[in-house]
PDB file of all heavy atoms in Angstrom:
ATOM      1  N   LEU E 556      26.703 142.695-170.823  1.00 92.00           N
ATOM      2  CA  LEU E 556      26.562 142.293-172.226  1.00 92.00           C
ATOM      3  C   LEU E 556      27.813 142.660-173.027  1.00 92.00           C
ATOM      4  O   LEU E 556      28.277 141.880-173.861  1.00 92.00           O
ATOM      5  CB  LEU E 556      25.314 142.943-172.842  1.00 92.00           C
ATOM      6  CG  LEU E 556      23.975 142.504-172.236  1.00 92.00           C
ATOM      7  CD1 LEU E 556      22.812 143.291-172.851  1.00 92.00           C
ATOM      8  CD2 LEU E 556      23.743 141.008-172.444  1.00 92.00           C
ATOM      9  N   GLU E 557      28.377 143.829-172.742  1.00 91.00           N
ATOM     10  CA  GLU E 557      29.580 144.239-173.478  1.00 91.00           C
ATOM     11  C   GLU E 557      30.767 143.342-173.163  1.00 91.00           C
ATOM     12  O   GLU E 557      31.552 142.998-174.048  1.00 91.00           O
ATOM     13  CB  GLU E 557      29.927 145.703-173.166  1.00 91.00           C
ATOM     14  CG  GLU E 557      29.001 146.661-173.902  1.00 91.00           C
ATOM     15  CD  GLU E 557      29.291 148.116-173.594  1.00 91.00           C
ATOM     16  OE1 GLU E 557      30.370 148.422-173.048  1.00 91.00           O
ATOM     17  OE2 GLU E 557      28.421 148.946-173.899  1.00 91.00           O
ATOM     18  N   ARG E 558      30.877 142.956-171.892  1.00 92.00           N
ATOM     19  CA  ARG E 558      31.981 142.065-171.511  1.00 92.00           C
ATOM     20  C   ARG E 558      31.864 140.734-172.255  1.00 92.00           C
ATOM     21  O   ARG E 558      32.831 140.215-172.816  1.00 92.00           O
ATOM     22  CB  ARG E 558      31.935 141.842-169.992  1.00 92.00           C
ATOM     23  CG  ARG E 558      32.946 140.849-169.469  1.00 92.00           C
ATOM     24  CD  ARG E 558      33.035 140.881-167.929  1.00 92.00           C
ATOM     25  NE  ARG E 558      31.772 140.629-167.248  1.00 92.00           N
ATOM     26  CZ  ARG E 558      31.243 139.420-167.070  1.00 92.00           C
ATOM     27  NH1 ARG E 558      31.873 138.356-167.516  1.00 92.00           N
ATOM     28  NH2 ARG E 558      30.087 139.276-166.442  1.00 92.00           N
ATOM     29  N   LEU E 559      30.646 140.201-172.305  1.00 92.00           N
ATOM     30  CA  LEU E 559      30.444 138.920-172.979  1.00 92.00           C
ATOM     31  C   LEU E 559      30.667 139.059-174.483  1.00 92.00           C
ATOM     32  O   LEU E 559      31.311 138.205-175.112  1.00 92.00           O
ATOM     33  CB  LEU E 559      29.025 138.410-172.707  1.00 92.00           C
ATOM     34  CG  LEU E 559      28.838 136.926-172.960  1.00 92.00           C
ATOM     35  CD1 LEU E 559      29.527 136.113-171.865  1.00 92.00           C
ATOM     36  CD2 LEU E 559      27.364 136.571-173.029  1.00 92.00           C
ATOM     37  N   ALA E 560      30.146 140.143-175.043  1.00 91.00           N
ATOM     38  CA  ALA E 560      30.267 140.340-176.496  1.00 91.00           C
ATOM     39  C   ALA E 560      31.726 140.447-176.919  1.00 91.00           C
ATOM     40  O   ALA E 560      32.091 140.043-178.025  1.00 91.00           O
ATOM     41  CB  ALA E 560      29.485 141.583-176.922  1.00 91.00           C
ATOM     42  N   ALA E 561      32.561 140.996-176.036  1.00 91.00           N
ATOM     43  CA  ALA E 561      33.966 141.205-176.392  1.00 91.00           C
ATOM     44  C   ALA E 561      34.849 140.023-176.015  1.00 91.00           C
ATOM     45  O   ALA E 561      36.032 139.990-176.364  1.00 91.00           O
ATOM     46  CB  ALA E 561      34.480 142.476-175.702  1.00 91.00           C
ATOM     47  N   SER E 562      34.273 139.034-175.334  1.00 92.00           N
ATOM     48  CA  SER E 562      35.083 137.928-174.821  1.00 92.00           C
ATOM     49  C   SER E 562      35.556 137.001-175.939  1.00 92.00           C
ATOM     50  O   SER E 562      34.873 136.791-176.938  1.00 92.00           O
ATOM     51  CB  SER E 562      34.255 137.126-173.808  1.00 92.00           C
ATOM     52  OG  SER E 562      34.899 135.907-173.518  1.00 92.00           O
ATOM     53  N   GLN E 563      36.747 136.422-175.735  1.00 91.00           N
ATOM     54  CA  GLN E 563      37.240 135.411-176.672  1.00 91.00           C
ATOM     55  C   GLN E 563      36.616 134.046-176.381  1.00 91.00           C
ATOM     56  O   GLN E 563      36.587 133.180-177.243  1.00 91.00           O
ATOM     57  CB  GLN E 563      38.771 135.290-176.553  1.00 91.00           C
ATOM     58  CG  GLN E 563      39.522 136.541-176.977  1.00 91.00           C
ATOM     59  CD  GLN E 563      39.231 136.935-178.416  1.00 91.00           C
ATOM     60  OE1 GLN E 563      39.391 136.131-179.333  1.00 91.00           O
ATOM     61  NE2 GLN E 563      38.757 138.161-178.618  1.00 91.00           N
ATOM     62  N   GLU E 564      36.162 133.854-175.160  1.00 90.00           N
ATOM     63  CA  GLU E 564      35.588 132.566-174.753  1.00 90.00           C
ATOM     64  C   GLU E 564      34.228 132.807-174.098  1.00 90.00           C
ATOM     65  O   GLU E 564      34.035 132.477-172.925  1.00 90.00           O
ATOM     66  CB  GLU E 564      36.521 131.860-173.748  1.00 90.00           C
ATOM     67  CG  GLU E 564      37.822 131.368-174.341  1.00 90.00           C
ATOM     68  CD  GLU E 564      37.646 130.014-175.035  1.00 90.00           C
ATOM     69  OE1 GLU E 564      36.499 129.511-175.077  1.00 90.00           O
ATOM     70  OE2 GLU E 564      38.650 129.490-175.523  1.00 90.00           O
ATOM     71  N   PRO E 565      33.284 133.396-174.814  1.00 92.00           N
ATOM     72  CA  PRO E 565      32.023 133.798-174.182  1.00 92.00           C
ATOM     73  C   PRO E 565      31.263 132.625-173.549  1.00 92.00           C
ATOM     74  O   PRO E 565      30.652 132.785-172.490  1.00 92.00           O
ATOM     75  CB  PRO E 565      31.226 134.435-175.324  1.00 92.00           C
ATOM     76  CG  PRO E 565      31.867 133.944-176.585  1.00 92.00           C
ATOM     77  CD  PRO E 565      33.304 133.729-176.250  1.00 92.00           C
ATOM     78  N   ALA E 566      31.315 131.446-174.169  1.00 87.00           N
ATOM     79  CA  ALA E 566      30.555 130.326-173.623  1.00 87.00           C
ATOM     80  C   ALA E 566      31.039 129.986-172.208  1.00 87.00           C
ATOM     81  O   ALA E 566      30.259 129.602-171.349  1.00 87.00           O
ATOM     82  CB  ALA E 566      30.675 129.106-174.544  1.00 87.00           C
ATOM     83  N   ARG E 567      32.351 130.172-171.971  1.00 87.00           N
ATOM     84  CA  ARG E 567      32.902 129.850-170.645  1.00 87.00           C
ATOM     85  C   ARG E 567      32.555 130.900-169.604  1.00 87.00           C
ATOM     86  O   ARG E 567      32.615 130.634-168.410  1.00 87.00           O
ATOM     87  CB  ARG E 567      34.420 129.768-170.712  1.00 87.00           C
ATOM     88  CG  ARG E 567      34.901 128.528-171.414  1.00 87.00           C
ATOM     89  CD  ARG E 567      36.366 128.336-171.117  1.00 87.00           C
ATOM     90  NE  ARG E 567      36.884 127.220-171.887  1.00 87.00           N
ATOM     91  CZ  ARG E 567      38.098 126.732-171.740  1.00 87.00           C
ATOM     92  NH1 ARG E 567      38.926 127.279-170.868  1.00 87.00           N
ATOM     93  NH2 ARG E 567      38.494 125.713-172.456  1.00 87.00           N
ATOM     94  N   GLU E 568      32.300 132.116-170.074  1.00 89.00           N
ATOM     95  CA  GLU E 568      32.063 133.210-169.125  1.00 89.00           C
ATOM     96  C   GLU E 568      30.581 133.425-168.850  1.00 89.00           C
ATOM     97  O   GLU E 568      30.209 134.372-168.155  1.00 89.00           O
ATOM     98  CB  GLU E 568      32.689 134.497-169.670  1.00 89.00           C
ATOM     99  CG  GLU E 568      34.192 134.397-169.724  1.00 89.00           C
ATOM    100  CD  GLU E 568      34.844 135.665-170.258  1.00 89.00           C
ATOM    101  OE1 GLU E 568      34.225 136.742-170.125  1.00 89.00           O
ATOM    102  OE2 GLU E 568      35.945 135.568-170.797  1.00 89.00           O
ATOM    103  N   LEU E 569      29.763 132.559-169.396  1.00 91.00           N
ATOM    104  CA  LEU E 569      28.318 132.761-169.290  1.00 91.00           C
ATOM    105  C   LEU E 569      27.798 132.788-167.862  1.00 91.00           C
ATOM    106  O   LEU E 569      26.933 133.589-167.516  1.00 91.00           O
ATOM    107  CB  LEU E 569      27.588 131.636-170.027  1.00 91.00           C
ATOM    108  CG  LEU E 569      27.112 131.948-171.434  1.00 91.00           C
ATOM    109  CD1 LEU E 569      26.373 130.744-171.964  1.00 91.00           C
ATOM    110  CD2 LEU E 569      26.222 133.169-171.416  1.00 91.00           C
ATOM    111  N   THR E 570      28.333 131.888-167.026  1.00 88.00           N
ATOM    112  CA  THR E 570      27.770 131.721-165.689  1.00 88.00           C
ATOM    113  C   THR E 570      27.679 133.047-164.936  1.00 88.00           C
ATOM    114  O   THR E 570      26.690 133.317-164.264  1.00 88.00           O
ATOM    115  CB  THR E 570      28.590 130.703-164.883  1.00 88.00           C
ATOM    116  OG1 THR E 570      28.594 129.482-165.627  1.00 88.00           O
ATOM    117  CG2 THR E 570      27.976 130.447-163.521  1.00 88.00           C
TER     118      THR E 570
END
Side-chain angles (χ1 to χ4, degrees):
Chain E
L556 295 176
E557 284 179 15
R558 175 169 57 79
L559 199 73
S562 168
Q563 295 301 306
E564 291 278 2
R567 287 195 185 187
E568 294 180 26
L569 262 182
T570 303

